[in-house]
Amino acid sequence: MVYNVSSKPKLPRGFRDFTPEIYVLRRSIIDKIIRVFERFGFDPIDTPVLEYWETLAGKYGEEAESRLIWRFTDPWSGRDYALRYDLTVPLARFIASHQDIILPFKRYHIGPVWRHEEPQKGRYREFYQCDADIVGSPYPEADAEIIELVLETLDELGFREFIVRVNDRRILSGVFEEELGLNNPIQVYRIIDKLDKIGLEGVKRELLKLGLGEVLVSKILDLIGISAEPIESLKLICSKYGSNQKIIESCRHLEEVFSILNDKNRIRFDMSLVRGLDYYTGPLLEVNLEKPRIGSIAGGGRYDNLIGMFLGRNIPATGVSLGLERLIDAGLELGIFNIDKLTVAEAQVIVLEWSLLKYAWIIARELRRYGVNTRIDLGRSSEESQRKKAKKLKIPILIFIGKIEEESKTATIYNTITGERVTVKHEEVPKIVLRFLNKI
Amino acid sequence: MVYNVSSKPKLPRGFRDFTPEIYVLRRSIIDKIIRVFERFGFDPIDTPVLEYWETLAGKYGEEAESRLIWRFTDPWSGRDYALRYDLTVPLARFIASHQDIILPFKRYHIGPVWRHEEPQKGRYREFYQCDADIVGSPYPEADAEIIELVLETLDELGFREFIVRVNDRRILSGVFEEELGLNNPIQVYRIIDKLDKIGLEGVKRELLKLGLGEVLVSKILDLIGISAEPIESLKLICSKYGSNQKIIESCRHLEEVFSILNDKNRIRFDMSLVRGLDYYTGPLLEVNLEKPRIGSIAGGGRYDNLIGMFLGRNIPATGVSLGLERLIDAGLELGIFNIDKLTVAEAQVIVLEWSLLKYAWIIARELRRYGVNTRIDLGRSSEESQRKKAKKLKIPILIFIGKIEEESKTATIYNTITGERVTVKHEEVPKIVLRFLNKI
């Protein structure tokens, strides 16, 4: 076998390994998210990691497609493939591929996506999204269910101080494009999107630099200042632009959403929310934590035309995506998540002499049969080394097997949490361990 | 937005979507596997989907590396990447990347791998492996634990008729190469590997065609005919080749493995087992079901040099890989697995008039709060259509909300399994539904 130490292999740049303690934390968070998603009756699906490039092409906009999508040509077939960039376009392709699916279809999808970004702190090239979408309903109650789902999910995870900001793509375009007559809306939206970072003054400066007149700029600033109790805000918009049919209709749609939700404290209408304009067509939402300020942890909205691009007939859809990495970073910083489990093992059988292995093995086997996650040292380490490793891994229960234990068919059980230590008949071991673990 | 119906996007060839009913089945199987792996104290990890090509290069042998690995050049950086081909080489890279890990390290890893094979029935380009490995122990008890783990896992999944075949790479090479003096062992191994398909006669024919003499061929046939009670078989080998130190030592190693396991019925020593020779160095194992005959559903062995290739110092390792797809196909055929859940939803709120939506919503919210997975129609369908869809999805509990229910603040609950139907006060709804679901 070729032995080539010089080329010591590395983790690819921007990618991560998940060690057990991180994996266990991530899983516990994903499990909570799944629990809420399923409570709402969303069903799990999965799609391939790869899609044909043509499936993703033309869906995300210029920047993503020219720079951020991991695409490549398969040298054998000459076909172009891409690693999935999000879970929304694959959903649209999925619906087109499975036309027997009953609508409205509520699916969730939790899995990695890939972006060819420059890696930096908290930004990876492979990261997880947790998406929930409703396909086949044009009604406000679908948008309301998505918002309620986000509220419940964050609640289940233990977040308390957060705001769901809501806007509507049609109100945005109705007001800015139709009523104010902006002819470079995308550029204006990009500036508005920076409000969080550069403040109102910064936005004003950049809008003026864009060549907009003072009057127009001050109207825009007035508008993006609307971030208040939803129903009041909508009334204000209507009183200003009540002659525009599109604005009226989308205000009514949002009013229905808000009336179903009636959570006055955590939902806000916010005209400065302009997110991901590529495929959105209606209500938009985004969740920002009050602290830590790490950008949005969830976002989404209605995209009624995307599936139609694949299917040739229109199917309305609305959904949300939670960013697992940011949720975890935030939860760790807030202290609502902890990296406290270094191993799944709950008990370790400590073997005092290796001639006793077979007896120790029987004890371990018995414990496993009772559902206790049990390790036994496979390295023939000394007693001290076995204890040290168990301590480092914070394994709560130690079971000592020495000559005395083997001869008397007993085991000595040590509860490292309470300091309790007992020697019991071998058939009693599982019961005592389960009791020490508070499982019975 | 560009609307291009002509290029109807397709699932990439050889790849699959998982619809909810398949996803739920797969998850239930993966959960069972995880439960057993964790009972043995194996800890979960994950690694990236991509590795640098040089990490995989030189590990799998000619065929895999020239044809089967999905590799590509990143057009931006010019670097070569590859989709992981298995979970073993990534483990070796993981150990080299995390040198603070406590040894012996027992990890499991369940996830997709990619092979650029020609797709056919039951063979996909993206499929799941479930791997458990022990890194850092050269001792027979580590190999024994791997075999016990496989037995327990298959047992937990409900398989009854299967055999774990065991052999040892050192016995193989000691006997065939050192004792019989084969100078083209790989070709001979490949022919032996076909025993299952072409039978003893077929193997004989092909060996003769290879140019081996009659005497040598009959010796080989005698040897690969050894497939019996382990300890007896090892004695037989020793009586024939007792002067070869390597064979003696590996026989002793296997004897210890077998003595720890002492499951006489499901473990067999089998000289014809020659699997995946690329990185194996010691005991080998493979599990075949008696029926259906779909090839091996699990395989593995000891690979003491692989991690050293990355690390510059040797670390022994042994492990096993279960193929999820074959397990599922076999379990479905045997009837031990069933695709019986089409949705995670347990209850559906049927809304008789859409003016009653808000009251129905309150009922659904309450049910979710009690942990019942609850759907509410978001398509404003007719009562009949709501019922039909719920029936198609086999949702067991229906909750009817009509004018009478709204006015009297009640709900009518229908248990589709038992046919029971009751109208109760709205605060009683969760209790009744939980009882109908046998959850309390």
Side-chain angles (χ1 to χ4, degrees):
Chain A
M1 216 161 180
V2 187
Y3 194 95
N4 185 1
V5 183
S6 66
S7 74
K8 198 185 146 195
K10 289 200 198 99
L11 194 58
R13 212 165 74 87
F15 289 77
R16 287 169 297 169
D17 286 325
F18 297 118
T19 52
E21 66 270 26
I22 302 292
Y23 191 98
V24 168
L25 172 70
R26 290 172 68 88
R27 181 172 64 185
S28 77
I29 292 161
I30 288 172
D31 283 350
K32 281 181 186 164
I33 295 171
I34 288 176
R35 212 175 309 146
V36 180
F37 284 5
E38 297 199 347
R39 248 191 258 149
F40 278 79
F42 285 75
D43 282 309
I45 70 163
D46 200 4
T47 65
V49 151
L50 293 181
E51 295 279 357
Y52 287 134
W53 160 247
E54 68 234 37
T55 299
L56 308 194
K59 311 301 184 304
Y60 299 104
E62 175 55 20
E63 198 205 1
E65 289 173 37
S66 64
R67 289 205 307 114
L68 299 180
I69 295 181
W70 280 83
R71 59 189 278 198
F72 64 91
T73 306
D74 171 33
W76 288 275
S77 65
R79 282 206 76 144
D80 285 337
Y81 290 87
L83 289 166
R84 65 185 177 211
Y85 180 81
D86 69 5
L87 303 174
T88 311
V89 171
L91 168 63
R93 202 266 312 135
F94 178 96
I95 297 290
S97 305
H98 302 268
Q99 297 200 31
D100 52 336
I101 277 191
I102 296 172
L103 299 182
F105 178 54
K106 309 202 309 188
R107 82 89 178 83
Y108 73 88
H109 189 178
I110 297 176
V113 300
W114 292 268
R115 302 210 175 157
H116 203 290
E117 298 205 73
E118 197 45 38
Q120 59 183 51
K121 188 178 173 302
R123 193 208 275 164
Y124 303 96
R125 290 179 154 187
E126 175 178 71
F127 58 94
Y128 269 59
Q129 290 191 333
C130 311
D131 278 26
D133 291 82
I134 299 166
V135 176
S137 169
Y139 302 110
E141 52 264 39
D143 303 298
E145 189 168 285
I146 291 294
I147 294 172
E148 187 157 323
L149 180 77
V150 172
L151 288 165
E152 288 286 317
T153 305
L154 293 174
D155 215 56
E156 176 90 19
L157 290 171
F159 290 100
R160 294 295 170 262
E161 293 177 40
F162 59 89
I163 294 293
V164 182
R165 296 154 68 216
V166 178
N167 196 5
D168 193 300
R169 176 77 173 90
R170 295 162 300 175
I171 298 180
L172 261 175
S173 66
V175 170
F176 287 115
E177 293 162 48
E178 292 173 25
E179 295 302 313
L180 299 186
L182 286 185
N183 46 23
N184 45 6
I186 301 285
Q187 282 170 286
V188 172
Y189 293 153
R190 279 211 194 107
I191 294 170
I192 294 174
D193 205 25
K194 291 196 258 179
L195 178 62
D196 231 31
K197 286 175 206 143
I198 61 178
L200 263 182
E201 271 311 305
V203 169
K204 184 174 176 182
R205 211 174 312 120
E206 294 208 15
L207 287 175
L208 289 170
K209 214 187 290 170
L210 204 63
L212 303 187
E214 289 269 4
V215 178
L216 187 54
V217 168
S218 89
K219 274 188 188 170
I220 293 174
L221 292 182
D222 270 5
L223 279 164
I224 65 175
I226 301 177
S227 162
E229 198 280 314
I231 303 288
E232 288 308 310
S233 309
L234 291 176
K235 272 193 195 139
L236 193 65
I237 299 276
C238 273
S239 73
K240 284 191 178 180
Y241 303 100
S243 56
N244 184 309
Q245 200 50 36
K246 183 161 124 189
I247 297 176
I248 296 291
E249 272 169 31
S250 44
C251 280
R252 277 204 198 118
H253 187 109
L254 277 194
E255 262 174 56
E256 277 199 66
V257 171
F258 295 135
S259 81
I260 291 170
L261 291 170
N262 72 33
D263 182 330
K264 302 267 180 273
N265 298 320
R266 301 208 281 193
I267 300 168
R268 192 174 291 165
F269 176 81
D270 188 339
M271 270 297 279
S272 74
L273 176 64
V274 296
R275 59 175 284 111
L277 284 156
D278 308 79
Y279 46 60
Y280 291 116
T281 58
L284 304 168
L285 71 120
E286 196 170 289
V287 183
N288 300 79
L289 297 177
E290 313 263 283
K291 57 182 178 182
R293 288 176 64 84
I294 50 165
S296 74
I297 53 168
R302 180 169 281 283
Y303 50 99
D304 282 345
N305 299 329
L306 183 65
I307 298 173
M309 289 177 74
F310 288 145
L311 210 55
R313 66 187 161 94
N314 253 7
I315 296 189
T318 183
V320 68
S321 181
L322 286 95
L324 187 63
E325 275 69 16
R326 286 206 181 152
L327 277 177
I328 291 177
D329 287 349
L332 285 171
E333 198 169 328
L334 290 170
I336 56 176
F337 303 155
N338 290 297
I339 297 174
D340 49 5
K341 264 190 112 171
L342 304 181
T343 175
V344 298
E346 301 162 306
Q348 164 113 24
V349 178
I350 309 273
V351 187
L352 303 197
E353 282 173 49
W354 288 102
S355 61
L356 308 170
L357 176 64
K358 277 187 205 168
Y359 179 62
W361 198 276
I362 291 168
I363 300 288
R365 194 183 270 152
E366 192 70 3
L367 280 166
R368 289 168 183 156
R369 203 149 283 166
Y370 278 84
V372 178
N373 299 345
T374 306
R375 282 174 71 100
I376 184 164
D377 190 88
L378 300 167
R380 300 195 183 174
S381 322
S382 68
E383 183 198 342
E384 201 198 334
S385 161
Q386 291 176 63
R387 293 174 72 134
K388 263 194 193 160
K389 289 180 197 173
K391 195 175 175 188
K392 266 197 192 159
L393 291 170
K394 298 187 190 168
I395 298 175
I397 307 293
L398 306 183
I399 296 134
F400 293 90
I401 301 298
K403 261 227 151 49
I404 299 169
E405 280 84 0
E406 194 219 20
E407 275 163 14
S408 58
K409 299 293 166 222
T410 60
T412 299
I413 307 170
Y414 176 53
N415 183 340
T416 68
I417 311 293
T418 63
E420 219 172 330
R421 177 191 291 269
V422 288
T423 299
V424 298
K425 282 274 165 204
H426 80 92
E427 60 269 26
E428 303 269 304
V429 173
K431 207 178 65 192
I432 303 295
V433 171
L434 286 169
R435 192 181 304 151
F436 280 175
L437 290 168
N438 296 317
K439 287 193 169 184
I440 49 171
Chain B
M1 216 161 181
V2 187
Y3 194 97
N4 184 358
V5 184
S6 66
S7 73
K8 200 187 143 191
K10 289 199 198 97
L11 194 58
R13 213 165 73 88
F15 289 77
R16 286 169 298 170
D17 286 324
F18 297 118
T19 52
E21 66 269 27
I22 301 293
Y23 191 98
V24 167
L25 171 70
R26 290 172 67 88
R27 181 173 64 187
S28 77
I29 291 162
I30 288 172
D31 282 349
K32 281 181 186 166
I33 295 171
I34 288 176
R35 212 175 308 144
V36 181
F37 285 5
E38 297 199 348
R39 248 191 258 149
F40 279 80
F42 285 76
D43 282 310
I45 70 163
D46 200 4
T47 65
V49 151
L50 292 181
E51 295 279 357
Y52 288 134
W53 160 247
E54 68 234 36
T55 299
L56 308 195
K59 311 300 183 305
Y60 299 104
E62 174 57 18
E63 199 207 0
E65 289 172 38
S66 64
R67 290 204 308 113
L68 299 181
I69 295 181
W70 279 84
R71 59 190 278 200
F72 63 92
T73 306
D74 171 33
W76 289 276
S77 65
R79 280 206 79 143
D80 286 338
Y81 290 87
L83 289 166
R84 66 185 178 211
Y85 180 81
D86 68 5
L87 303 174
T88 310
V89 171
L91 168 63
R93 202 266 311 135
F94 178 95
I95 297 291
S97 305
H98 302 270
Q99 297 200 33
D100 53 335
I101 277 190
I102 296 173
L103 299 182
F105 178 55
K106 309 202 309 187
R107 83 89 178 82
Y108 74 88
H109 189 177
I110 297 176
V113 300
W114 291 267
R115 302 209 176 159
H116 203 292
E117 298 204 73
E118 196 46 36
Q120 58 183 50
K121 190 180 172 301
R123 193 208 274 162
Y124 302 97
R125 291 179 153 188
E126 175 178 71
F127 59 93
Y128 269 59
Q129 291 190 331
C130 310
D131 278 25
D133 290 82
I134 299 166
V135 177
S137 169
Y139 301 111
E141 52 264 39
D143 303 298
E145 188 168 286
I146 291 293
I147 294 171
E148 188 158 322
L149 180 77
V150 172
L151 289 165
E152 288 285 318
T153 305
L154 293 175
D155 215 55
E156 176 90 18
L157 290 172
F159 291 100
R160 293 294 170 262
E161 293 177 41
F162 59 89
I163 294 294
V164 182
R165 296 154 68 214
V166 178
N167 196 5
D168 192 298
R169 176 78 175 91
R170 294 162 300 173
I171 298 181
L172 261 176
S173 66
V175 170
F176 288 115
E177 293 162 47
E178 292 173 25
E179 295 302 314
L180 299 186
L182 285 187
N183 47 21
N184 46 5
I186 301 285
Q187 282 171 286
V188 173
Y189 293 153
R190 278 210 195 109
I191 294 169
I192 294 175
D193 205 24
K194 291 196 258 178
L195 178 62
D196 231 30
K197 286 175 206 143
I198 63 178
L200 263 182
E201 272 311 304
V203 170
K204 184 175 176 183
R205 211 175 312 121
E206 293 208 15
L207 287 173
L208 289 169
K209 216 188 290 171
L210 204 64
L212 303 186
E214 288 269 3
V215 177
L216 188 54
V217 169
S218 90
K219 273 189 187 169
I220 294 175
L221 292 182
D222 270 4
L223 280 163
I224 64 173
I226 300 176
S227 163
E229 197 281 312
I231 303 289
E232 288 308 309
S233 308
L234 291 175
K235 273 192 194 138
L236 193 67
I237 299 277
C238 274
S239 72
K240 285 190 176 180
Y241 304 100
S243 56
N244 183 307
Q245 200 49 38
K246 182 159 123 189
I247 297 176
I248 296 290
E249 272 169 30
S250 44
C251 279
R252 275 201 200 122
H253 186 108
L254 277 194
E255 262 173 55
E256 277 199 65
V257 171
F258 294 134
S259 80
I260 292 170
L261 291 170
N262 73 32
D263 181 331
K264 302 267 179 274
N265 298 319
R266 301 208 281 192
I267 299 168
R268 192 174 291 165
F269 176 80
D270 188 340
M271 270 297 279
S272 74
L273 176 65
V274 296
R275 57 175 288 110
L277 284 155
D278 308 81
Y279 46 60
Y280 291 116
T281 58
L284 304 169
L285 73 120
E286 195 170 291
V287 183
N288 300 79
L289 296 178
E290 313 263 284
K291 56 181 179 179
R293 290 175 62 83
I294 50 164
S296 73
I297 53 168
R302 180 169 280 283
Y303 50 99
D304 283 346
N305 298 330
L306 182 65
I307 297 174
M309 288 177 75
F310 288 144
L311 210 55
R313 66 187 162 95
N314 254 6
I315 296 190
T318 183
V320 68
S321 182
L322 287 95
L324 187 63
E325 274 68 18
R326 285 202 181 156
L327 277 177
I328 292 177
D329 287 349
L332 285 171
E333 199 169 326
L334 290 171
I336 57 176
F337 303 156
N338 290 296
I339 298 175
D340 49 4
K341 263 190 114 175
L342 304 181
T343 175
V344 299
E346 302 163 305
Q348 163 113 24
V349 179
I350 309 271
V351 187
L352 304 197
E353 282 171 51
W354 287 102
S355 61
L356 307 170
L357 175 64
K358 276 188 205 168
Y359 179 62
W361 199 277
I362 291 168
I363 300 288
R365 193 183 271 152
E366 192 70 4
L367 280 166
R368 290 168 184 156
R369 203 150 284 167
Y370 278 84
V372 178
N373 299 344
T374 307
R375 282 174 72 99
I376 184 165
D377 190 86
L378 299 167
R380 301 197 182 172
S381 322
S382 68
E383 183 198 342
E384 202 198 331
S385 161
Q386 291 176 64
R387 293 174 72 134
K388 264 193 193 160
K389 290 181 196 171
K391 196 176 175 187
K392 266 197 192 159
L393 292 170
K394 298 187 190 169
I395 298 174
I397 308 293
L398 305 184
I399 295 134
F400 293 90
I401 301 298
K403 262 226 149 55
I404 298 169
E405 280 83 1
E406 194 220 20
E407 274 163 14
S408 58
K409 298 293 165 220
T410 60
T412 299
I413 307 171
Y414 176 52
N415 183 340
T416 68
I417 312 294
T418 63
E420 219 171 331
R421 177 191 292 268
V422 287
T423 300
V424 299
K425 281 274 164 202
H426 79 94
E427 59 269 26
E428 303 268 305
V429 173
K431 206 177 67 192
I432 304 294
V433 170
L434 286 169
R435 192 181 303 152
F436 281 175
L437 290 168
N438 296 317
K439 287 194 170 180
I440 49 170

